[in-house]
Amino acid sequence: MLSPRSAIRTLPAYHPPLAGRSGLRLDFNENTVGCSPRVLERLRGLTPEDLARYPERAPIEEEVADFLGIFPQELLLTNGVDEAIHLLCQTYLEAGDEALIVVPTYSMYRIYMMAAGAKLISVAAGKDFRFPVDDILTCLSPRTRLIAVANPNNPTGTVASSADLLRIARSAPAAAVLVDEAYFEFCGETLLPERGNTPNLFVARTFSKAYGMAGLRIGVLAGDADQMRAVRLVSSPYNVNAVALACLPIALADQAYIACYVSEVRKARGRLERVFQSAGIRFWPSQANFVLARVASDKLGAASFVEHMRRRGILVRDRSADPGCEGCVRITLGPSEHTDRLLGALQETIAELGVTQGASRS
Ligand SMILES: Cc1ncc(COP(=O)(O)O)c(C=O)c1O
């Protein structure tokens, strides 16, 4: 009888709660208003011929390389950062190799690492989700072949310093080190300029978050040109669809739109953090477009909080099951009209559930 590989038979299923997402969607860290209107105009202008042809990635890669100030050979456009993670696993991991993550973090790292048959090494974040650089260094071994770090991290919003990340990359020269900058625009710090002198470093970016194009599925993986040649061998030549490729240059050209959205999100972050502070709710200062907060002492309390917000038309994400996140929810931020709605519902929910300083203290 046909049976999947043993690594797949033991793979835990990952089901993001995508069904029935009606209301204001503050649960997936998406852009809450969507892409630049110029992108929509481009979509309306697509012709049957645009869709009939196989997509041609290379010319758009040149434009993206120009935008990032790197050479086209140093990057690959991908079907979102998710595909970039998958390609790195396929390129560098043999069954039994060690792949390291810091938890809590983005779920897809472990899925792809485990699917490749790697042994997962999960290093716990430090106090207040600090980046555990010394613990990571201790866990490195000659079998460590891939290290993935989200920076800023999801779901915590915390950042690792460039110095710490480089220290790790230089201490593990035989490991691919992925710095996933999916939330770069909200934070502004990048390791991209280091790729030239750190050949095992890869930086990923996405157009799913600040650019509001999660539905188009497009991201970038950048790294040393020789390493990227190997990664490109694994990728389909048609991994990014024609619609996404047509829209990307237009999205990149409208930086005013991105700057305005990012500035709104930063303001919203401050407003939400002030509400948590005055309610005595524990939260972790974030460099991304979301904030993690402990709204209850346990999983049941967090689920009830999520349900009360949902009844008020606001979707937020229960992160209680993540290591160190008991009783926590993650709330995505958007522009001021969305923040007004969020804070209204939040204050009512806090009052109704009696979320108090004592109940929410870590
Ligand atoms: C850290 C991180 N990386 C990658 C992704 C997924 O990016 P993409 O939509 O480009 O696959 C997410 C989405 O939540 C994320 O939080």
Side-chain angles (χ1 to χ4, degrees):
M1 199 181 98
L2 181 65
S3 180
R5 287 188 287 117
S6 62
I8 308 302
R9 289 199 301 273
T10 52
L11 201 59
Y14 174 58
H15 296 299
L18 281 166
R21 293 177 67 218
S22 61
L24 178 56
R25 294 185 304 273
L26 305 183
D27 52 347
F28 273 69
N29 302 339
E30 296 155 337
N31 180 314
T32 64
V33 287
C35 61
S36 154
R38 294 192 204 167
V39 170
L40 290 179
E41 238 172 79
R42 179 71 188 91
L43 278 172
R44 287 190 202 101
L46 288 174
T47 64
E49 199 197 352
D50 289 329
L51 300 188
R53 283 197 215 157
Y54 279 101
E56 198 187 343
R57 204 176 52 201
I60 311 301
E61 286 185 330
E62 280 183 28
E63 294 197 34
V64 176
D66 250 13
F67 175 79
L68 293 174
I70 68 179
F71 293 109
Q73 311 87 277
E74 294 178 302
L75 68 75
L76 173 70
L77 287 176
T78 60
N79 198 272
V81 170
D82 279 359
E83 192 202 14
I85 303 162
H86 195 187
L87 291 174
L88 287 178
C89 291
Q90 294 299 307
T91 308
Y92 295 104
L93 290 176
E94 311 261 14
D97 282 346
E98 292 177 3
L100 189 149
I101 55 173
V102 177
V103 293
T105 195
Y106 182 52
S107 306
M108 293 313 293
Y109 303 141
R110 83 183 149 90
I111 305 276
Y112 289 133
M113 288 167 169
M114 290 167 74
K119 180 175 169 210
L120 190 69
I121 309 290
S122 296
V123 180
K127 185 171 180 302
D128 289 331
F129 300 120
R130 251 177 246 136
F131 188 65
V133 62
D134 292 322
D135 293 346
I136 294 173
L137 291 172
T138 310
C139 287
L140 297 179
S141 89
R143 297 231 64 175
T144 313
R145 294 278 289 144
L146 179 59
I147 300 168
V149 178
N151 203 41
N153 189 30
N154 173 13
T156 59
T158 51
V159 289
S161 72
S162 298
D164 282 352
L165 292 167
L166 286 175
R167 210 172 137 205
I168 287 162
R170 288 171 188 158
S171 305
V177 176
L178 170 65
V179 177
D180 175 351
E181 297 182 352
Y183 301 97
F184 159 74
E185 290 80 7
F186 305 104
C187 155
E189 305 238 327
T190 180
L191 237 65
L192 200 56
E194 301 296 338
R195 80 207 172 282
N197 45 26
T198 319
N200 59 330
L201 174 70
F202 295 86
V203 173
R205 297 272 182 87
T206 186
F207 298 96
S208 297
K209 306 296 180 185
Y211 285 79
M213 306 199 299
L216 287 181
R217 308 305 301 131
I218 188 159
V220 187
L221 181 66
D224 174 81
D226 288 337
Q227 299 300 331
M228 290 307 299
R229 196 170 306 123
V231 176
R232 211 172 282 115
L233 291 174
V234 182
S235 138
S236 156
Y238 315 123
N239 61 337
V240 180
N241 69 74
V243 179
L245 290 174
C247 291
L248 187 54
I250 312 294
L252 285 176
D254 196 356
Q255 284 302 308
Y257 185 82
I258 302 301
C260 175
Y261 188 74
V262 167
S263 144
E264 289 279 303
V265 165
R266 286 189 172 154
K267 270 187 245 157
R269 211 159 61 189
R271 287 180 68 192
L272 176 61
E273 290 181 348
R274 279 192 292 282
V275 168
F276 283 142
Q277 207 144 28
S278 62
I281 292 173
R282 182 87 172 84
F283 68 93
W284 288 270
S286 167
Q287 295 293 312
N289 65 336
F290 55 83
V291 176
L292 183 76
R294 176 159 288 137
V295 294
S297 53
D298 61 12
K299 195 168 168 41
L300 268 181
S304 160
F305 180 93
V306 169
E307 176 54 22
H308 278 75
M309 290 293 282
R310 194 191 60 75
R311 283 189 211 147
R312 293 185 166 89
I314 310 281
L315 305 184
V316 301
R317 189 81 171 265
D318 184 349
R319 301 290 355 176
S320 267
D322 291 48
C325 298
E326 298 74 23
C328 289
V329 298
R330 189 194 65 201
I331 303 179
T332 305
L333 299 157
S336 55
E337 67 269 24
H338 289 164
T339 313
D340 293 343
R341 280 171 64 189
L342 162 66
L343 296 186
L346 180 64
Q347 267 150 339
E348 285 174 19
T349 300
I350 290 172
E352 190 175 9
L353 290 179
V355 179
T356 64
Q357 209 159 354
S360 61
R361 210 171 259 158
S362 57

